[in-house]
């Protein structure tokens, strides 16, 4: 099995800078409490240049750099951020396994779909860079080789051919073993993995036991540790605790962008799109406010959701500052993408979706509706307005209608000739006809409108088992000053009725 290891140098520092961009280039550390003392877990580049090192106390670090800022190191947040990145990359790799606290293995079995393993490495790094992450990727046939080269190698990405693991590992320092075994080998005067791999297997086993034998095998490219993909959570949810309670929308913007980027990345990796979301704001010192977010159309676009969330929060009055937030996908669907017309720009379409989503969120879900097909042959009862929900794939007439999105040429001609605006009940109209029975004009909307063009008739009948059977001759009529309309002549009373209008 071919695996790719994705390593993020000082992952916790990168995550903090992404969440708080004002920290870029500034000295700061992440600390944890050890035996009553706060000790540095990870330090920024500026802090390292000032002499701060992992393991030193916060007091000693501050003495080295008086302007040093510090934040609590939270392993659960690091893991949550790693999981979000792994799910985001599932469009390139079908599975991932975490290697906390700063990396993960990816299943490289689908690399042939992205120009091979080098193409996979390049696309993985590019997708991470879009969100501000810097990493290194190595593809190999087993886990240790990929991880050791990604963590201790010098290249941004590399591909190790099958069978050449020992040669690729040989120059790496002994610290790449990352275990107690390196101390025993260092005592022998060894400094590289190649020197360890050159030792006789029997001698290593006699001195180091089973652990030494495993370390020796790994240095020769023989790691049998299985790849165990991460089990995905059923509920998509992202949460973030703010360093300081926010009393206005401005400090919340970076936090919102962080959770939305993560959530949309996970949606994209699963090929899903959000339909409804809920934003829970944790207030300080207690309480919470829940803000529902209704979308005009399913989406996994972070920018559009951020615009909608900002607008929605502008109308919310809170009883206290915000200490944290939770963004949860209440309903999602398959992301079928969107086909734009030639010459259309996605930015304009996205702006329209934001406006529609704002209306739906502000006025309620019922303000935005879709036409749902009904089990009725009668044209005016063929559909009813319902709250928006993503379409489901089905067969029969509904399936044929849904084909129009991806393959309009496959839809029967008669279905494409139905009006987009159907009246809830047919409206009688007065018509003028020639002696031969041809339509000349009709009074529609209080005005006499001349007939410019006419197609038909198309005879429809049904519901003979009902108390209100019908038999009608339908015409597609182009009225002057009105456009195309769908009218019919009822066989019961020979009168004409307006059924709907075409856009």
């Amino acid at each position: 099995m071919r695996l790719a290891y994705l390593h993020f140098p000082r992952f916790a520092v990168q995550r903090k800078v992404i969440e708080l961009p004002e920290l870029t280039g500034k000295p700061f550390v992440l600390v944890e409490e050890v035996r009553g003392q706060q000790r540095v877990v990870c330090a920024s580049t500026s802090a390292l240049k000032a002499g701060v090192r992992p393991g030193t106390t916060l007091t000693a670090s501050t003495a080295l750099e008086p302007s040093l800022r510090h934040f609590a190191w939270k392993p659960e947040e690091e893991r949550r951020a790693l999981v979000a990145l792994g799910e985001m990359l599932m469009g390139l790799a079908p599975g991932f396994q975490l290697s906390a606290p700063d990396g993960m293995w990816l299943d490289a079995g689908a690399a042939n779909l992205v120009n091979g393993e080098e193409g996979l490495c390049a696309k993985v790094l590019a997708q991470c860079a879009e969100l501000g992450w810097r990493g290194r990727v190595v593809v190999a046939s087993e886990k240790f080789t990929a991880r050791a080269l990604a963590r201790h190698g010098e290249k941004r990405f590399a591909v190790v051919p099958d069978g050449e693991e020992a040669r690729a590992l040989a120059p790496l320092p002994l610290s790449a073993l990352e275990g107690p075994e390196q101390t025993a080998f260092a005592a022998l005067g060894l400094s590289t993995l190649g020197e360890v791999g050159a030792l006789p297997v029997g001698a290593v086993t006699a001195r180091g036991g089973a652990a030494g034998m495993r370390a020796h095998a790994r240095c020769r490219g023989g790691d049998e540790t299985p790849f165990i993909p991460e089990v995905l959570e059923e509920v998509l949810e992202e949460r973030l605790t703010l360093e300081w309670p926010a009393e206005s929308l401005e400090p919340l913007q970076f936090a919102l962008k962080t959770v939305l980027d993560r959530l949309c990345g996970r949606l994209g990796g699963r090929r899903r799109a959000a339909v409804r979301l809920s934003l829970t704001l944790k207030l300080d010192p207690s309480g919470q406010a829940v803000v529902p977010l209704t979308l005009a159309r399913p989406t996994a676009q972070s920018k559009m959701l951020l615009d909608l969330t900002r607008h929605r929060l502008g109308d919310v009055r809170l009883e206290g500052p915000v200490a944290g937030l939770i963004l949860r996908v209440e309903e999602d669907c398959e992301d079928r993408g969107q086909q734009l017309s030639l010459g259309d720009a996605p930015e304009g379409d996205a702006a329209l979706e934001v406006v529609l989503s704002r209306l739906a969120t502000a006025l309620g879900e019922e303000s935005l509706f879709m036409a749902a097909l009904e089990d009725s042959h009668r044209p005016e009862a063929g559909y009813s307005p319902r709250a928006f929900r993503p379409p489901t794939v089905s067969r029969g007439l509904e399936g044929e209608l849904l084909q129009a999105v991806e393959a309009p040429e496959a839809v029967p001609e008669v279905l494409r000739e139905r009006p987009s605006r159907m009246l809830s009940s047919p409206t009688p109209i007065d018509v003028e006809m020639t002696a031969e029975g041809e339509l000349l004009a009709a009074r529609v909307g209080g005005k006499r409108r001349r007939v410019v063009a006419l197609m038909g008739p198309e005879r429809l009948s049904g519901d003979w088992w009902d108390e209100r059977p019908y038999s009608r001759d339908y015409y597609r009529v182009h009225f002057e000053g009105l456009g195309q309309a769908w009218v019919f002549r009822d066989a019961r009373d020979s009168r004409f009725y307006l059924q709907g209008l075409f856009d």
Side-chain angles (χ1 to χ4, degrees), residues 184-208:
F185 291 124
L188 298 176
L190 306 179
S191 60
T192 66
L193 299 190
E195 293 173 349
V196 175
L199 295 174
V201 178
V204 173
T205 305
R207 293 177 64 92

Side-chain angles (χ1 to χ4, degrees), residues 230-251:
E230 192 79 12
V231 178
L232 303 183
E233 298 177 354
E234 292 187 11
V235 178
L236 281 170
E237 179 181 283
E238 284 295 331
R239 57 180 63 209
L240 189 64
T241 301
L242 277 64
E243 296 295 337
W244 304 279
E247 298 183 355
S248 64
L249 179 59
E250 189 68 24

